[in-house]
Amino acid sequence: MAASSEKLMSQPRSYQQFYKQSVSEPDVFWTREAARIDWVKPFTRVCDFSNPPFAKWFVGGETNLCYNAIDRHLATRADQNALVWISSEVEAQRTFTYRQLFDEVNRFAAILKSLGVGKGDRVLIYMPMIPEAVFAMLATVRIGAIHSVVFGGFAAASLAARIDDAKPKVMITADAGSRMGKIIPLKPLTDEAIQFAGHPPKHVVVVNRGLDKNIQYIPGRDMDYMALCHRHSGKDSGKDSTEIVPCEWVESSHPSYILYTSGTTGKPKGVQRDTGGYAVALAASMPHIFDMRSGSSPQFAETFFCTSDIGWVVGHSYIIYGPLINGCTTIMYDGLPVRPDAGIWWKIVEEYKVSVMFSSPTAVRVLKKQDPAFLTKYDTSSLRYLFLAGEPLDQPTSDWIEKGINVKVIDNYWQTESGWPILSAEPGIEDTPRKCGSPSFASYGYRIKLKHEETGLPVAPNEKGVLCIQPPLPPGCMSTIWGDDARFVKTYFSSFKDEQVYTTFDWATCDQDGYYFIMGRTDDVINVAGHRLGTREIEEAIQAHHNIAEVAVVGVADALKGQVPIAFAVVKNAAKTATPELAAIHEKEVMATVDHELGAIGRPARVYFVTVLPKTRSGKLLRRSIQAICEGRDPGDLTTIEDLSALDQVKQQVEN
């Protein structure tokens, strides 16, 4: 089942040639790249696009994500470090070789099977950044089940909505997580969410870290992870060996996971990812985009450090699956970039000789506020590239970090839906010149179009258009919305009447040299520190407060986070906001409601109280005009507004 090295050696060695082949000869291109993973059964067709916009990649091929991430490496790198977990929150560190990771994942797979989890069943994971979360994800795909990881910052109501959509057979959680040393209990939120849910899981596996001394177990439903591990370690039978669970070989299109992302409605969208296409996409991206040179043996293995969270797509792709499929050592960091001090990342780079890092502009802006001496305190000479994504990268931030640690910075752009970069330089193919503020060019396999919002026609160089992708979407991209094919088509492929294209809902321009620049969202999704939040979700959370009659939330430009949510609310009882002091108290109450309903991640930066919201005569909220006023811009054509005084109120509140 080993990949063919001959097929891998025949690739073009310039970006233009490489990209051209990917779009003009996709079958040849992706057949070559598919040799980077192991197949137990070869595919018979590269792409089935007979039912557009749905694409099936590597049809008939059978493989397994966990096998490609762990098992196939045991013959050559069993004793190489696979996963290094570092927590500045609890001041702990654990390292797992590929053999040790294999043992842990098999143990967890045995646990899941003992609880009745099988092929196609869902496992919902609501955990902090701990190794057991990685074991759970890999164990789930090992047995052909489908995992859905929910970010630990979401509150019970949001968690319940995801439980009801995924309908998991088993849920995995922990007693608590930690942020800046503050304990964040997760088990009580899990219990509350399950009470809300209409489709609760039969079992809940709890990793008790000893952080929450008041943890409560519900008899018959809750099970302690360590007790289950002991049961499946072989010790009960007198053997000191891990129970080996065979990989479930699945057809390439079999779902590997569901990851929820925000939309313009209050209901999150369950992005469904396949197995074979995703494995190939990640296996190809590690050397081509990220220039990871792991080689065929441990002495050539490199270390990859992605600072994201497993609750987001970047964590799925580039903390876990991508680096492990590539045979790298991957760093899983639990903590903030300034704890215990602003040198923690660079200390990790020095200690583990990190070759490539992946982070966000927001994180670098946080570091920029710290003592610059931390940039030179540690030896970062092993670091070749720092990839930054999540929101637009400004030149001062890029220049500061590039000079500070003497590293090449690469801006890249992608989405939960794509699973890997849509736009990026590809230094593993060719180290092309970069322009600050631009994520460079279309990644191989992506046929990009910039379309005029109204006419659908191509836009001229440097003219703003909607960034679209001509289908079929490349391997690794979402295959549909979980349980809702119709919503998949309507949401992503129905924006233009002239042709069926995937819409990213982002504005972009492309200059005369072919470099793309992302200009912001076209819809009501905002980007807070690289995390996408639907304004409708935040509005629904605010309206859960008993005194809120109506609310509008907009994303406003922020120097640190890219965007922050700002809310304008109409109250039922105006007496509660009659003075600045009362309004401040009420604002805190509303924010606390959002914390409870959605989680602190959705908390608005400000809540302003007005008597009326700006709307058109047909009742449509003028979010773009509100946003423009908040950012000090011209609100545009106001001829359609029903009540001009509404915008005056917005302006007065912001200026005060």
Side-chain angles (χ1 to χ4, degrees):
M1 294 194 298
S4 169
S5 59
E6 292 182 3
K7 290 182 179 179
L8 300 181
M9 292 296 290
S10 61
Q11 65 191 27
R13 298 313 304 176
S14 77
Y15 163 76
Q16 290 294 346
Q17 292 174 331
F18 196 75
Y19 177 78
K20 183 179 179 181
Q21 187 188 53
S22 76
V23 295
S24 63
E25 300 178 279
D27 281 12
V28 173
F29 181 90
W30 288 113
T31 296
R32 183 185 67 236
E33 297 304 323
R36 294 183 180 277
I37 72 164
D38 285 4
W39 302 86
V40 70
K41 180 180 177 182
F43 51 90
T44 57
R45 187 175 180 181
V46 176
C47 182
D48 179 358
F49 194 53
S50 60
N51 182 29
F54 300 93
K56 294 182 178 180
W57 286 94
F58 311 114
V59 180
E62 292 185 2
T63 188
N64 182 281
L65 264 182
C66 182
Y67 182 89
N68 278 284
I70 305 176
D71 299 51
R72 69 175 181 151
H73 299 307
L74 295 180
T76 57
R77 56 180 82 242
D79 296 325
Q80 176 199 310
N81 286 347
L83 173 67
V84 176
W85 175 71
I86 302 164
S87 174
S88 61
E89 290 290 343
V90 296
E91 297 182 1
Q93 186 169 320
R94 296 163 69 189
T95 300
F96 302 86
T97 64
Y98 272 93
R99 169 62 68 183
Q100 291 168 333
L101 184 58
F102 174 81
D103 290 344
E104 296 287 356
V105 169
N106 271 277
R107 192 174 292 120
F108 216 128
I111 290 170
L112 292 176
K113 287 184 75 70
S114 73
L115 298 178
V117 178
K119 183 178 180 179
D121 290 332
R122 274 78 63 205
V123 174
L124 194 140
I125 300 169
Y126 182 61
M127 299 182 78
M129 287 282 285
I130 55 177
E132 287 78 9
V134 179
F135 307 159
M137 294 170 71
L138 289 164
T140 300
V141 295
R142 185 176 189 84
I143 61 175
I146 303 164
H147 62 67
S148 181
V149 180
V150 177
F151 174 59
F154 280 117
S158 297
L159 178 58
R162 288 153 175 80
I163 291 173
D164 280 341
D165 194 66
K167 300 178 178 60
K169 182 172 283 189
V170 169
M171 187 169 171
I172 304 165
T173 191
D175 61 335
S178 176
R179 186 170 179 84
M180 285 299 286
K182 179 183 178 182
I183 302 302
I184 303 172
L186 294 180
K187 181 59 165 56
L189 291 172
T190 300
D191 294 339
E192 186 180 356
I194 290 175
Q195 285 184 331
F196 290 155
H199 298 276
K202 185 177 180 180
H203 297 292
V204 176
V205 177
V206 183
V207 178
N208 189 347
R209 307 173 69 198
L211 298 180
D212 183 0
K213 306 303 180 184
N214 300 313
I215 186 172
Q216 300 290 321
Y217 288 84
I218 296 178
R221 187 199 74 183
D222 297 346
M223 314 186 84
D224 182 78
Y225 172 68
M226 288 307 298
L228 291 170
C229 282
H230 183 79
R231 187 183 305 172
H232 292 278
S233 66
K235 291 183 173 63
D236 287 349
S237 60
K239 299 178 181 179
D240 191 15
S241 61
T242 301
E243 182 178 341
I244 304 300
V245 178
C247 290
E248 180 74 33
W249 302 107
V250 298
E251 201 276 336
S252 180
S253 296
H254 180 77
S256 57
Y257 67 77
I258 307 162
L259 185 58
Y260 289 92
T261 187
S262 293
T264 54
T265 66
K267 182 182 179 182
K269 304 186 296 288
V271 169
Q272 178 178 315
R273 194 86 65 207
D274 72 357
T275 297
Y278 185 54
V280 171
L282 296 185
S285 71
M286 291 304 291
H288 297 331
I289 295 177
F290 297 101
D291 192 33
M292 288 299 291
R293 310 163 186 169
S294 284
S296 58
S297 58
Q299 62 262 36
F300 298 114
E302 295 189 326
T303 300
F304 193 85
F305 179 16
C306 174
T307 69
S308 184
D309 187 287
I310 58 163
W312 309 114
V313 68
V314 178
H316 280 54
S317 293
Y318 296 113
I319 293 177
I320 303 173
Y321 292 115
L324 293 177
I325 288 172
N326 199 49
C328 300
T329 299
T330 184
I331 303 286
M332 182 185 194
Y333 176 64
D334 173 36
L336 298 176
V338 293
R339 179 184 169 90
D341 57 48
I344 180 62
W345 282 3
W346 319 125
K347 180 181 179 182
I348 292 171
V349 169
E350 178 185 84
E351 184 174 353
Y352 291 97
K353 299 295 185 287
V354 174
S355 299
V356 177
M357 277 187 69
F358 192 147
S359 192
S360 69
T362 296
V364 176
R365 293 184 195 114
V366 169
L367 291 174
K368 195 178 176 183
K369 294 183 175 182
Q370 310 299 313
D371 186 346
F374 284 113
L375 296 178
T376 55
K377 184 177 179 180
Y378 300 97
D379 180 4
T380 59
S381 60
S382 64
L383 196 61
R384 289 195 302 276
Y385 296 104
L386 172 61
F387 283 77
L388 297 175
E391 72 267 5
L393 174 63
D394 59 285
Q395 186 160 355
T397 298
S398 180
D399 289 346
W400 178 80
I401 193 65
E402 191 164 73
K403 294 174 183 176
I405 59 173
N406 190 29
V407 68
K408 294 179 180 179
V409 171
I410 296 188
D411 189 357
N412 61 116
Y413 161 84
W414 48 302
Q415 302 178 317
T416 302
E417 290 86 346
S418 69
W420 59 287
I422 297 171
L423 303 172
S424 182
E426 296 169 19
I429 298 299
E430 180 186 4
D431 194 6
T432 52
R434 289 174 286 281
K435 294 186 180 183
C436 196
S438 170
S440 294
F441 315 111
S443 296
Y444 50 86
Y446 288 97
R447 295 185 290 175
I448 303 295
K449 290 189 172 185
L450 292 185
K451 295 172 71 70
H452 189 278
E453 182 183 26
E454 296 178 356
T455 67
L457 295 174
V459 298
N462 300 307
E463 182 183 352
K464 186 173 74 172
V466 181
L467 183 67
C468 301
I469 304 169
Q470 184 178 334
L473 298 179
C477 292
M478 70 184 299
S479 49
T480 188
I481 291 175
W482 174 255
D484 201 339
D485 287 351
R487 189 182 182 194
F488 172 67
V489 177
K490 182 178 179 181
T491 300
Y492 296 105
F493 291 91
S494 303
S495 296
F496 295 94
K497 296 180 179 179
D498 63 321
E499 63 176 338
Q500 191 178 59
V501 292
Y502 172 90
T503 306
T504 64
F505 300 103
D506 278 308
W507 295 111
T509 62
C510 185
D511 69 13
Q512 63 278 3
D513 299 321
Y515 287 80
Y516 288 89
F517 295 81
I518 303 299
M519 312 299 289
R521 298 291 293 179
T522 67
D523 63 2
D524 296 324
V525 173
I526 61 178
N527 203 331
V528 182
H531 308 320
R532 288 171 59 189
L533 298 171
T535 55
R536 185 62 190 144
E537 286 182 275
I538 303 173
E539 288 169 356
E540 288 183 356
I542 291 173
Q543 286 183 302
H545 189 283
H546 61 85
N547 195 39
I548 301 299
E550 197 174 12
V551 63
V553 172
V554 297
V556 176
D558 179 80
L560 178 63
K561 297 183 177 181
Q563 281 186 306
V564 293
I566 302 290
F568 293 85
V570 177
V571 296
K572 297 174 183 177
N573 182 356
K576 292 190 175 183
T577 59
T579 67
E581 293 76 17
L582 289 173
I585 294 171
H586 209 53
E587 182 181 24
K588 290 181 179 178
E589 288 182 8
V590 171
M591 289 183 176
T593 300
V594 175
D595 288 356
H596 180 268
E597 295 292 319
L598 183 58
I601 189 173
R603 184 190 302 160
R606 287 299 310 272
V607 180
Y608 295 110
F609 300 106
V610 293
T611 60
V612 62
L613 293 174
K615 296 180 181 179
T616 65
R617 292 179 178 87
S618 61
K620 182 180 179 180
L621 275 169
L622 291 168
R623 285 192 175 87
R624 291 189 187 179
S625 296
I626 297 173
Q627 181 189 52
I629 289 174
C630 291
E631 294 179 347
R633 297 184 286 107
D634 186 342
D637 183 11
L638 304 179
T639 58
T640 62
I641 193 170
E642 176 69 21
D643 184 353
L644 285 171
S645 69
L647 279 181
D648 289 337
Q649 285 192 47
V650 169
K651 189 174 182 180
Q652 289 172 10
Q653 289 282 359
V654 172
E655 290 178 347
N656 290 338

